[in-house]
Amino acid sequence: MIVDVHGHLGPWFFFPSEGTAAENLRVMDAYGIDIQLVSSVEAVTYDPVAGNAALAEAIGDEPRLRGLFVIDPRDLAAAEQQLDELRGLFVGVKIHTHYSATPAGSPAMADALRLCADADLPALVHTWGTEILDLADTVASVPGARAIAGHMGGPAWRLAPEALTRTDRLWLEPCYSRPDAGRVRWVLDRIDPQRMLFGTDSTLIDPALAFGAIRAAHLSAEEERLVMSANAIDLFDLDLS
Amino acid sequence: MIADCDLLIGREITSGLRQTPEQLAGQLAQAAIDGGALASLRALQFDVQTGNDEAAGAALRYGWWPVYGIDLRDPLGAEQEMDRAADHGVRLLRLAPGRQEIAGTAPRLRILVRRATELGMTLLVEGSTVDVGTGMLGLGASVVFLDQHFYDLGEFILLARDEPGFHVSTRLLGSPGAWELLLEHAGPERLLLGTRAGWFEEHAVLDQLKGSPLAPEERELIAGGNLRRLAGGSS
């Protein structure tokens, strides 16, 4: 089984795209992805309130797509209110540090993660550069918060093992449109494999990049079981029935 | 046959990693890449002549195309190295403005591209049209942008209408449908397989090659035909 914890649903402004659930499923089928956790492109790049509602509608009858609720830390009141209404439709949260102009080490991020902890939802947080360490420190400072460092810091992936030493409530997700050679293996050799999840950033990025990086890492059978599905099922408490 | 337009040996200063010709050959073999266009990081970062000789020697040994690097920090030396490349029958030059911290708008870049074009060279350029395209415009230059990201693929396509010599490497075109969009608007002659094997996860690109619904003739061009045309024959 393959669970992709880093997906999106909706059209991207970089290229023509229908942005429908059918498009997600077509790509998932092409790569053998069983379940994909998706956040709304509209919510990430423009308006969380409109985007989260549209996503809930789009995936309501599609069991292979599970929702990530987008929070803009600059407007937690709106997030809190909408989460009350839609809580049961989402398995986790997505926070994008760039689009929401909220660095991972900021007080606003801590407040957003506090909201996630209160809702008992893990958060996939975009991390780029050294902010992967800042995110780790923020997670450590918020009791009960659980976060996944999306992109594993991007170009700063060598900091990922250090980030995991700062809290046992941080996980890694390594998708990256510029995958340096040997990156996933290098990190896995330095961490507990229970701390890495599989993600693609589809439909922004072709899953070939994530699968290519995983293939190059030559996962053991146990690493494959954990990284490709089991860790995600545990962390997001996914109902597979 | 699969040929890669973006092969590098040497030591990469920012990561501290090295790749010898032997290691690269092994990397290509495991990925079923048959060869490609080889440049030296020594030439791009430290000394053009000894670096380019290193690349030429390795290319000769393994049957790859040699690529001469030039150093934009020394534009007069770059002119001389271009002439040396021409004397040696080398058709491919690698430019690394970002690595050498020379702005894509620097006048020297445009002047050197014009000179390379007059010499009949194809330029393998680190960077995208956003970063360095201005320096290539309107010169009739033959260029392969090695770091064109899919975020900016639309800009490349707009430029390709007026610039028949503009090409792009596959390495960072990693969005669903990016290759198909490029083929539709610019044609298969503009896309070259580039993986930067050993430095970048080459399987990420090769899996796209396998998964893209290409006609056999399109695949042949992308996987090696276009590079053969630009490099001037077989390696």
Side-chain angles (χ1 to χ4, degrees), chain A:
Chain A
M1 163 164 279
I2 297 177
V3 178
D4 172 6
V5 304
H6 192 158
H8 298 284
L9 194 150
W12 288 99
F13 35 77
F14 299 107
F15 39 78
S17 155
E18 292 177 8
T20 62
E23 191 172 328
N24 285 66
L25 293 167
R26 180 181 60 75
V27 174
M28 290 167 66
D29 287 341
Y31 285 95
I33 297 168
D34 297 285
I35 292 177
Q36 188 173 65
L37 277 52
V38 292
S39 57
S40 153
V41 177
E42 180 183 7
V44 169
T45 65
Y46 178 55
D47 180 355
V49 175
N52 286 330
L55 182 77
E57 180 83 14
I59 66 173
D61 57 356
E62 180 42 69
R64 293 175 63 197
L65 298 175
R66 311 291 174 92
L68 294 178
F69 182 88
V70 174
I71 289 179
D72 184 331
R74 297 169 300 183
D75 191 0
L76 289 184
E80 197 164 7
Q81 181 182 340
Q82 191 176 33
L83 198 50
D84 279 344
E85 298 163 8
L86 301 178
R87 169 71 181 86
L89 300 174
F90 291 86
V91 298
V93 165
K94 172 66 186 282
I95 303 174
H96 202 293
T97 56
H98 169 73
Y99 285 110
S100 70
T102 305
S106 66
M109 181 63 73
D111 290 341
L113 291 177
R114 199 166 290 116
L115 176 60
C116 298
D118 290 346
D120 197 24
L121 292 173
L124 173 65
V125 181
H126 174 92
T127 56
W128 211 252
T130 56
E131 76 173 349
I132 189 173
L133 298 178
D134 300 333
L135 177 66
D137 291 339
T138 304
V139 169
S141 73
V142 177
R146 294 170 295 157
I148 304 150
H151 307 297
M152 206 162 68
W157 51 269
R158 287 184 180 83
L159 298 176
E162 165 62 22
L164 293 192
T165 67
R166 300 190 181 191
T167 173
D168 61 1
R169 289 178 280 114
L170 184 71
W171 286 259
L172 305 172
E173 181 281 302
C175 74
Y176 187 21
S177 69
R178 304 168 184 255
D180 298 333
R183 185 176 51 108
V184 172
R185 184 72 266 162
W186 189 93
V187 172
L188 268 176
D189 284 344
R190 289 160 177 79
I191 67 166
D192 179 341
Q194 294 187 63
R195 306 287 290 280
M196 184 180 285
L197 307 169
F198 176 72
T200 64
D201 213 353
S202 179
T203 55
L204 177 62
I205 299 176
D206 190 315
L209 276 82
F211 280 105
I214 290 290
R215 178 135 63 97
H218 301 291
L219 305 185
S220 69
E222 179 62 0
E223 286 173 335
E224 182 169 343
R225 184 184 74 83
L226 293 169
V227 172
M228 301 306 286
S229 61
N231 293 340
I233 293 167
D234 281 352
L235 181 61
F236 289 95
D237 194 23
L238 297 179
D239 176 6
L240 303 180
S241 60

Side-chain angles (χ1 to χ4, degrees), chain B residues 78-188:
Chain B
E79 286 186 320
Q80 293 170 4
E81 192 63 7
M82 280 189 200
D83 291 339
R84 200 170 77 100
D87 290 345
H88 292 178
V90 172
R91 289 275 305 274
L92 301 173
L93 288 179
R94 186 158 178 141
L95 273 59
R99 194 185 295 278
Q100 295 165 358
E101 299 185 342
I102 298 298
T105 52
R108 71 184 76 179
L109 187 62
R110 194 162 175 78
I111 292 166
L112 292 171
V113 169
R114 188 174 63 207
R115 184 184 184 93
T117 301
E118 290 166 357
L119 288 170
M121 305 274 186
T122 288
L123 300 167
L124 304 176
V125 179
E126 295 184 8
S128 72
T129 53
V130 175
D131 301 323
V132 296
T134 302
M136 318 282 156
L137 289 174
L139 299 171
S142 176
V143 183
V144 182
F145 293 96
L146 299 174
D147 302 322
Q148 184 76 40
H149 195 280
F150 67 80
Y151 285 3
D152 299 308
L153 177 57
E155 176 165 286
F156 176 85
I157 289 171
L158 292 179
L159 291 173
R161 293 175 185 160
D162 296 329
E163 297 285 350
F166 277 19
H167 303 77
V168 63
S169 162
T170 54
R171 187 173 78 95
L172 298 181
L173 297 185
S175 70
W179 295 21
E180 290 79 3
L181 188 70
L182 178 67
L183 264 55
E184 178 188 348
H185 290 278

Side-chain angles (χ1 to χ4, degrees), chain B residues 8 16 23 29-30 34 39 45 52 60 80 89 92 94 97 104 112 126 140 150 155 174 182 185 191 196 198 201:
Chain B
L8 278 174
Q23 289 167 328
Q30 64 83 27
D34 300 287
Q45 296 206 189
N52 288 334
L60 180 66
Q80 293 170 4
L92 301 173
R94 186 158 178 141
L112 292 171
E126 295 184 8
F150 67 80
E155 176 165 286
L182 178 67
H185 290 278
L191 184 61
R196 204 168 295 177
E201 293 291 16

